[in-house]
Amino acid sequence: MAVHDHPHRHPGFRFPSLRRAGTAPASADEATATATATRAYVFAGLRLLTGFVFLWAFLDKTFGFGYATPSGKGWIDGGSPTKGFLSGVAVGPMESTFHDWAGAAWADWLFMLGLLGIGLALIAGIGLRLAAVAGTAMMALMWIAEWPPAKHLSDGSVSMSTNPFADYHLIYAVVLIALAAAGAGATWGLGRAWARLPFVSRNRWLL
């Protein structure tokens, strides 16, 4: 929503424009409304992009589109979504545990359902609190698997870690939490309709 100098208002979203010198300043209410609307659209855009990240990971690992997963190596072709990553873990306190989990059917299903569920929840704008919890848990495990604090791998080679704490897994986790806290599903999503459902209104953790 934008503030215009003429009396006619046009529907639709417009980014706030810089006022020319000499024009009357917008009222506090108008400025607040503009900032609130802009923030809602920014969070909605971030939600959709993040949702596509998770949903695309699910689709690529399922069908082997030739990006992270080579053609013919998809889940439907008999490939394992977790074997390559978890068997390659070479550092950290859970190294042997991840090796045991690599390729296990339960690990494949849990990982893939997590990617699909989080991706769909973010795209639709519903169940963002559940998506934040599940996504944060997933990102935490992947952070441990890569173990950024280590300068060297178990075999003594350089780990190539660029930061001992903050990496993209933590950023994704924070983004998921922020989207849930901001109620980002209400704009460009089904968040409002979802919140009005009786079973959701009785169980606020489903928001």
Side-chain angles (χ1 to χ4, degrees):
M1 182 182 299
V3 179
H4 301 283
D5 292 328
H6 52 77
H8 302 290
R9 295 184 178 273
H10 299 280
F13 169 69
R14 287 184 174 84
F15 286 102
S17 59
L18 296 175
R19 288 183 166 272
R20 296 185 299 272
T23 58
S27 68
D29 289 343
E30 289 175 323
T32 300
T34 299
T36 300
T38 301
R39 185 163 53 246
Y41 286 111
V42 169
F43 271 108
L46 180 61
R47 189 197 84 233
L48 292 171
L49 286 174
T50 307
F52 184 69
V53 169
F54 282 89
L55 189 58
W56 176 259
F58 169 81
L59 294 173
D60 186 50
K61 292 179 185 301
T62 299
F63 300 104
F65 289 145
Y67 288 86
T69 305
S71 179
K73 299 291 185 179
W75 198 21
I76 62 170
D77 299 310
S80 170
T82 63
K83 187 173 183 179
F85 177 69
L86 293 182
S87 62
V89 173
V91 69
M94 294 182 63
E95 179 180 352
S96 60
T97 301
F98 285 133
H99 290 172
D100 292 337
W101 292 357
W106 66 266
D108 289 342
W109 277 95
L110 196 60
F111 178 58
M112 294 298 280
L113 288 176
L115 289 177
L116 178 62
I118 295 166
L120 291 178
L122 291 173
I123 294 294
I126 62 176
L128 297 186
R129 293 182 180 180
L130 283 175
V133 171
T136 298
M138 181 184 293
M139 292 299 105
L141 286 172
M142 295 179 76
W143 186 90
I144 294 172
E146 295 197 1
W147 200 246
K151 294 181 180 179
H152 297 86
L153 303 179
S154 299
D155 61 3
S157 60
V158 178
S159 69
M160 303 300 291
S161 174
T162 59
N163 190 297
F165 177 70
D167 75 342
Y168 66 98
H169 297 108
L170 293 185
I171 293 173
Y172 277 130
V174 171
V175 167
L176 290 170
I177 294 169
L179 293 173
T187 302
W188 293 342
L190 303 175
R192 287 194 179 93
W194 175 259
R196 288 195 295 267
L197 295 176
F199 70 92
V200 176
S201 61
R202 290 193 300 268
N203 301 278
R204 306 302 289 176
W205 54 273
L206 291 173
L207 289 174

